[in-house]
Amino acid sequence: MRFDILTIFPNIFDSYLKESIIKRAIENKLIEIHVHDIRDYTKNKHKRVDDVPFGGGAGMVMTPQPLDDAIQHVKKLNKGPVIFLTPQGQTFSQTKAEKLAAKSEDMILLCGRYEGIDQRIRDLHVDLEISIGNYVLTGGELPAMVLTDAISRLIPGVLGKEESHQEDSFSKALNRKKEYPHYTRPATFKGMDVPEVLLSGHHKKIETWRKNKLK
Ligand code: SAM
């Protein structure tokens, strides 16, 4: 599965997506992540990618030309949908991540900055708009990483044997509920004991206890 991410801050992606599970998934060729700098496509001699909004008002708007050129270029490499990260989009969820992972469809993730992007780019190129929650961030880079991470870990083989997503919070197996509490060694920590049933080795009782602890 291939993710192409369009941003004016490509360095933001240097750390997070190059560590741990995502790094291993890239090395094992289960996913590909390509980050493109929108600024590389601007024909403006000062390399500007923003301008004042028509109609006035505070803030700047990302200009259409570099976005259009960048998207057209990336569409030749990636045939998946163009997803614009925006607070105005449909709210992302585990169910949406599962659907996108099941399709195993490549995708192009477009990160906005400032007040957002020129509406004509949305009309021309955007297939889907996704929000990661009802709050406003400075840019679409964190949302793009959230999608990439949440979808990638559902791709078969990405999580090792030790890790599993089958019984995570919001999974089908847990009836879309939030997970039960976890405990590990030692059995007593700072005077607090692990619930006895978890030490009993009685699988049926453990299963019932966990079911009752779902929220
Ligand atoms: N003026 C926009 C609004 O009120 O909806 C907010 C723009 S925000 C400062 C800049 C960019 O950050 C957005 O274009 C979008 O790409 C990204 N962004 C901010 N919050 C987001 C969220 N909750 N979900 C997805 N993207 C978000």
Side-chain angles (χ1 to χ4, degrees), residues 167-185:
E167 291 202 2
D168 274 335
S169 296
F170 316 115
S171 63
K172 231 184 194 166
L174 298 193
N175 280 332
R176 305 285 178 204
K177 290 186 171 173
K178 294 177 200 165
E179 208 188 36
Y180 45 80
H182 295 288
Y183 295 89
T184 185
R185 279 185 286 237

Side-chain angles (χ1 to χ4, degrees), residues 62 84-88 110-117 130-141 143:
M62 290 177 77
F84 176 46
L85 287 318
T86 167
Q88 298 139 41
L110 178 56
C111 307
R113 279 269 157 180
Y114 316 114
E115 285 307 314
I117 65 174
I130 292 185
S131 161
I132 62 159
N134 290 346
Y135 43 81
V136 178
L137 301 163
T138 51
E141 289 76 14

Side-chain angles (χ1 to χ4, degrees), residues 7-67:
T7 170
I8 56 169
F9 292 113
N11 296 341
I12 288 178
F13 296 90
D14 279 352
S15 56
Y16 189 75
L17 298 177
K18 291 190 178 153
E19 296 288 346
S20 183
I21 292 170
I22 300 295
K23 176 184 171 194
R24 199 174 61 205
I26 295 169
E27 284 170 358
N28 292 339
K29 302 202 180 331
L30 293 166
I31 57 166
E32 280 181 44
I33 302 174
H34 301 271
V35 181
H36 308 265
D37 188 348
I38 295 164
R39 215 176 282 279
D40 289 343
Y41 295 85
T42 180
K43 291 181 177 139
N44 179 293
K45 63 177 177 195
H46 303 295
K47 292 247 163 210
R48 279 192 66 170
V49 289
D50 60 314
D51 212 330
V52 293
F54 279 124
M60 303 296 272
V61 178
M62 290 177 77
T63 55
Q65 177 276 313
L67 286 166

Side-chain angles (χ1 to χ4, degrees), residues 103-117:
K103 274 194 195 166
S104 203
E105 196 176 35
D106 297 341
M107 61 187 75
I108 300 171
L109 299 173
L110 178 56
C111 307
R113 279 269 157 180
Y114 316 114
E115 285 307 314
I117 65 174

